[in-house]
Amino acid sequence: MRSFTNVQDDEEKRPYNDDGNGDDNGNNDVSVGGCVKIGTPPFFIINKYYYICVGYIMNNTNPNGMRIKNIIISAMLALLANSSIDAQERNIFIGNALNRTNICLNGKWEYVLDPFRTESMGNTQIYRNAVPRDKSDRVEYSFNPAQTLWVPGSWNTQKPELMYYESNIWYRRLFDKPDLDDSKRYFVYVGAANYLSTVTFNGKRLGRHEGGFTPFCYEVTDLMKKEGNFLIIGVDGGRRADRIPAEVADWFNHGGITRDVLLVETPKTFVSNYYIALDKSTLNSKVRKINGTLLLSGKDMPQTARVQIPELKIEKSVSVGTDGKTDFTLDAKRLQLWSPENPKLYDVRIIAGSDTISDLIGFRTIETKGKQILLNGEPVFLKGICLHDENPLRRTRANSIEDARLVIGWAKELGCNFLRLAHYPHQENLVRLAEKEGILLWEELPLYWGIQWHSPKVLEKAKQQFKELIDRDYNRASSIIWSIANETAVVPDRNKFLSELADYVRSLDSTRLLSAACKKDQGRDGHPDAVYTYNDPIMQKLDIISLNEYLGWYGGSPAECRDKTFKMGLEKPVIVSEFGGGALQGLHGDKETVWSEEFQAYIYEESIAMFDKIDGLSGMTPWILCDFMSPLRQLHQVQDGWNRKGLISEKGMKKQAFYVLKKYYESK
Ligand code: GCU
């Protein structure tokens, strides 16, 4: 048990006792990014093999012949170890978790603040859920009585005293499972928690997850009880230079358990995830091919699994290897392709042993040809808009289907067929609703300002976060572009980092396009050059050239747009991934009056005309659909903590520029 004294010592030495491996509690229990081997003292990671060795050594080093007893002891210990699950094995990615048998653990959770990230109060670790044994027993924290927070939810917008809190909070959720079933497995699934989560269950540390916007999951089968289960999750909402995003970002750092928490129940062997997509080389074939991969988890692997698409009269048995992984191909006749005009989804069922999982999946192809983006082989113009994963009307992080419906509704009103989900993975509800509504998506990781490009650990974190995003959204027809960076300086470390990351993402998913939001060679907005050129070396690795340009806002005047031309260094499609300007809804003036709606509309008119001349322009996503919370925006009586570049205010009121863009999209 850690004593306060040594914590203090650490504090003196370092801001907080960081052992340099990216976590901040002195336990070297975080592998890079993602989930973890369970921390020191090493007692926790010992498993059955350990006990067998101990038994053997005891047996051969104990001269007085206690053989039988030693064998019995080590055998019992080995059995014990065999029932508990190795730390590594606890962490399994479960795809389509929302669609499996589960208990939803959302609701009010008790919490204990841990501002100095000591993980303990008064020498007692918080995740032990300790309660005083008797009147003289001192326990210096309590979950009962305790304050509560809603899960899912941003803690910052629930309590004024937590508005700018960016440290650690321990959440507790109690639940019973009277119908606990020995023939099942149980997993704690978290849709997302920002930023660094320590997951514990019934007093056992299960692991750590790094990254605020992707799902993670831990097995708790061996720890489950019929009554009195306590799930305690410590969430560190802090910003740090070696994280993704790094320390400064132009959005609100909503901390906490921000998406659904489920107790998922599965058979002993089940389909943990699957990856299914149309083979684009068969797009024009009479019988198209659908390729797939299944991942099964469990000890007794079934020999075969079955994949069914009833509407297409497809039923196929596929043999499963001992590693639980299998690839397959289906022949599909009369397959309707998914598109914004016809967002056709098929009920796809996978049966393996006693497990059945079904999903609604659309089949489409996306590729580039010269300067065009082809959807199902046809050129498509991406009429888009950027947005953050926030519900402005609720002034908080979005996490429900209603939140998704609100923004998709506004985007459709604007005439959009495309959304750029900035700058991090958004909630799954939105990605799935976009699929139903025929909206194409750009998804990205917060590889944004100030990333430690030189750090191999940070690269591992980026890979881990991308793996989780692709594991979650690979089967979504709506998602067509992975973006690997936003507005990052062209320096050697960055080029190397992004180049390796691009290869990695392609190795995980060759069915989608890659891009990154880049800046022009001339750099700053409003640069006087008449010709803006784009030769960022990372563009070689990308399918689409995307550019952010704020001429008329961060430099120059809107009128200067008329004299600008754009010269791309490569024959690739172009997306204008950001442009725009701020306006306080309801503030009016002439078109030169900054912060007025007229000024913002003027920027849109001039910018759209300028970009529309770009050879190879295949889409745009102006910045941004609605005003959003940002600590970087403090102009009193105009911004007051909001970035005002939205086309819709935080009260849902449309600004003039909304109609300028709508008119342009009607013309496209
Ligand atoms: C940047 C950046 C956004 C930011 C926007 C702005 O280009 O990518 O995250 O919010 O500009 O300045 O409003």
Side-chain angles (χ1 to χ4, degrees):
M1 186 78 66
R2 296 162 57 109
S3 69
F4 255 119
T5 41
N6 63 19
V7 171
Q8 298 312 321
D9 305 353
D10 281 306
E11 288 301 337
E12 249 73 60
K13 256 200 310 312
R14 282 178 286 179
Y16 35 74
N17 50 4
D18 172 11
D19 53 17
N21 70 358
D23 71 322
D24 48 22
N25 61 5
N27 296 350
N28 50 9
D29 56 1
V30 171
S31 64
V32 172
C35 304
V36 300
K37 63 185 179 328
I38 299 301
T40 49
F43 173 79
F44 286 104
I45 56 176
I46 294 169
N47 60 27
K48 55 187 167 291
Y49 306 111
Y50 170 81
Y51 292 109
I52 294 166
C53 311
V54 168
Y56 178 79
I57 297 160
M58 279 168 68
N59 213 19
N60 295 300
T61 55
N62 180 328
N64 59 17
M66 302 269 283
R67 288 185 179 282
I68 303 299
K69 196 164 111 268
N70 293 347
I71 291 169
I72 294 165
I73 293 169
S74 52
M76 279 165 57
L77 290 171
L79 275 175
L80 174 72
N82 200 24
S83 67
S84 75
I85 300 167
D86 286 5
Q88 302 307 38
E89 289 165 17
R90 274 189 197 284
N91 159 242
I92 295 180
F93 190 95
I94 295 187
N96 195 7
L98 299 167
N99 219 356
R100 296 176 189 260
T101 308
N102 70 69
I103 297 179
C104 180
L105 298 174
N106 293 352
K108 280 201 166 178
W109 291 42
E110 298 90 18
Y111 75 90
V112 170
L113 284 183
D114 178 14
F116 286 3
R117 302 183 173 90
T118 55
E119 299 201 0
S120 58
M121 295 291 166
N123 294 350
T124 313
Q125 279 172 321
I126 298 170
Y127 74 85
R128 299 246 179 253
N129 193 30
V131 288
R133 281 182 296 265
D134 53 46
K135 66 180 180 188
S136 52
D137 185 18
R138 174 191 53 77
V139 175
E140 295 197 36
Y141 67 84
S142 157
F143 281 107
N144 189 15
Q147 298 187 75
T148 59
L149 283 168
W150 282 103
V151 167
S154 156
W155 66 50
N156 309 85
T157 54
Q158 292 187 51
K159 308 226 169 202
E161 68 271 24
L162 296 179
M163 183 64 179
Y164 284 107
Y165 185 77
E166 295 187 298
S167 187
N168 229 11
I169 290 184
W170 292 85
Y171 289 80
R172 184 191 75 171
R173 180 70 158 79
L174 299 178
F175 67 92
D176 297 337
K177 183 70 179 140
D179 57 346
L180 186 61
D181 181 339
D182 289 347
S183 73
K184 301 289 184 190
R185 293 168 70 187
Y186 297 92
F187 299 85
V188 167
Y189 168 91
V190 178
N194 189 38
Y195 175 82
L196 182 66
S197 305
T198 303
V199 184
T200 79
F201 189 69
N202 289 346
K204 184 170 177 71
R205 286 170 77 103
L206 305 180
R208 257 202 173 151
H209 178 267
E210 180 158 353
F213 304 99
T214 43
F216 51 95
C217 196
Y218 291 95
E219 178 152 17
V220 292
T221 310
D222 58 323
L223 304 168
M224 284 291 291
K225 300 182 292 183
K226 283 189 183 294
E227 284 177 8
N229 294 295
F230 56 94
L231 170 60
I232 296 182
I233 302 179
V235 181
D236 169 5
R239 289 168 293 112
R240 282 176 39 164
D242 63 346
R243 292 180 171 178
I244 300 176
E247 282 176 305
V248 177
D250 189 18
W251 65 82
F252 195 94
N253 182 33
H254 293 283
I257 303 177
T258 51
R259 294 183 189 149
D260 297 330
V261 181
L262 310 172
L263 180 76
V264 175
E265 179 183 287
T266 72
K268 287 283 182 210
T269 296
F270 70 102
V271 181
S272 58
N273 209 359
Y274 45 91
Y275 309 83
I276 300 176
L278 179 59
D279 177 340
K280 66 176 167 236
S281 68
T282 67
L283 176 65
N284 300 318
S285 318
K286 202 155 176 306
V287 179
R288 293 181 176 117
K289 297 213 174 295
I290 294 172
N291 297 327
T293 298
L294 299 185
L295 298 181
L296 275 65
S297 164
K299 295 225 167 31
D300 45 359
M301 282 300 155
Q303 301 316 308
T304 57
R306 279 177 297 136
V307 182
Q308 301 172 335
I309 310 183
E311 196 180 336
L312 293 171
K313 302 193 176 26
I314 290 178
E315 159 106 24
K316 176 142 187 183
S317 286
V318 291
S319 56
V320 179
T322 48
D323 62 355
K325 187 168 181 291
T326 184
D327 298 328
F328 62 87
T329 298
L330 308 171
D331 292 339
K333 294 190 190 91
R334 288 180 297 285
L335 177 72
Q336 283 187 50
L337 299 173
W338 182 96
S339 68
E341 299 72 30
N342 176 34
K344 173 65 184 171
L345 299 175
Y346 287 92
D347 176 22
V348 177
R349 293 188 201 140
I350 302 163
I351 300 119
S354 59
D355 187 34
T356 298
I357 179 79
S358 66
D359 201 351
L360 289 175
I361 297 180
F363 298 100
R364 53 102 187 95
T365 67
I366 189 78
E367 55 198 315
T368 62
K369 189 170 170 216
K371 293 183 176 180
Q372 291 184 316
I373 299 175
L374 305 181
L375 175 69
N376 299 332
E378 298 301 320
V380 62
F381 186 87
L382 302 173
K383 301 186 275 188
I385 190 83
C386 291
L387 77 162
H388 270 290
D389 201 17
E390 218 173 51
N391 179 333
L393 306 182
R394 294 197 303 117
R395 295 169 171 255
T396 192
R397 193 43 94 214
N399 55 40
S400 68
I401 190 73
E402 291 74 27
D403 294 333
R405 265 205 203 96
L406 176 72
V407 289
I408 287 195
W410 280 336
K412 291 206 122 181
E413 243 183 281
L414 199 48
C416 291
N417 61 5
F418 181 54
L419 291 173
R420 176 186 172 192
L421 306 185
H423 290 292
Y424 40 76
H426 285 212
Q427 57 151 333
E428 191 174 347
N429 288 315
L430 183 119
V431 177
R432 284 183 176 269
L433 184 62
E435 190 177 46
K436 283 201 179 79
E437 297 288 331
I439 298 278
L440 297 155
L441 300 175
W442 155 310
E443 300 199 73
E444 64 187 274
L445 285 195
L447 288 159
Y448 188 81
W449 307 334
I451 296 290
Q452 290 185 344
W453 303 113
H454 62 277
S455 160
K457 272 209 171 134
V458 174
L459 177 57
E460 276 316 305
K461 294 179 186 183
K463 288 181 176 176
Q464 174 73 37
Q465 292 185 22
F466 246 121
K467 173 101 179 45
E468 291 170 354
L469 171 57
I470 294 173
D471 281 345
R472 189 193 78 176
D473 291 350
Y474 182 93
N475 299 310
R476 306 280 72 82
S478 49
S479 184
I480 57 167
I481 299 171
W482 301 125
S483 177
I484 60 171
N486 178 75
E487 289 193 351
T488 50
V490 180
V491 291
D493 282 343
R494 170 260 195 192
N495 300 345
K496 185 167 165 299
F497 182 115
L498 291 181
S499 170
E500 189 174 326
L501 185 63
D503 294 345
Y504 177 72
V505 171
R506 279 199 202 283
S507 73
L508 295 178
D509 181 4
S510 60
T511 70
R512 287 182 173 81
L513 304 175
L514 282 198
S515 192
C518 299
K519 299 291 284 183
K520 58 184 178 295
D521 303 341
Q522 288 82 358
R524 69 179 176 78
D525 295 307
H527 192 280
D529 275 13
V531 182
Y532 286 170
T533 56
Y534 293 81
N535 296 292
D536 182 334
I538 196 61
M539 290 173 175
Q540 304 279 356
K541 285 272 180 178
L542 308 175
D543 302 296
I544 299 171
I545 294 173
S546 298
L547 57 96
N548 291 4
E549 175 57 51
Y550 282 90
L551 173 59
W553 182 256
Y554 284 129
S557 71
E560 290 173 46
C561 289
R562 297 176 189 197
D563 316 324
K564 298 294 179 195
T565 54
F566 290 70
K567 196 164 176 334
M568 303 300 148
L570 297 162
E571 291 286 304
K572 294 186 178 182
V574 176
I575 290 178
V576 177
S577 40
E578 284 186 40
F579 74 90
L584 179 62
Q585 191 276 327
L587 179 67
H588 293 287
D590 63 29
K591 68 179 186 182
E592 310 291 349
T593 304
V594 72
W595 300 115
S596 70
E597 290 192 35
E598 287 75 9
F599 187 94
Q600 186 190 43
Y602 178 35
I603 289 178
Y604 269 71
E605 276 145 12
E606 295 296 337
S607 303
I608 289 171
M610 170 178 70
F611 295 129
D612 200 47
K613 291 182 288 183
I614 294 177
D615 175 19
L617 183 70
S618 296
M620 59 170 62
T621 53
W623 191 259
I624 184 165
L625 179 64
C626 32
D627 292 354
F628 62 95
M629 300 168 67
S630 170
L632 295 185
R633 309 294 170 171
Q634 298 298 341
L635 177 59
H636 189 43
Q637 295 186 336
V638 174
Q639 295 174 319
D640 295 318
W642 291 83
N643 183 311
R644 294 289 182 200
K645 294 192 182 67
L647 297 177
I648 300 172
S649 75
E650 80 279 18
K651 296 193 177 69
M653 307 289 286
K654 297 184 178 68
K655 305 175 191 179
Q656 287 180 14
F658 179 98
Y659 301 102
V660 174
L661 185 62
K662 181 176 170 66
K663 190 158 155 272
Y664 173 65
Y665 283 163
E666 278 157 4
S667 73
K668 284 308 261 186

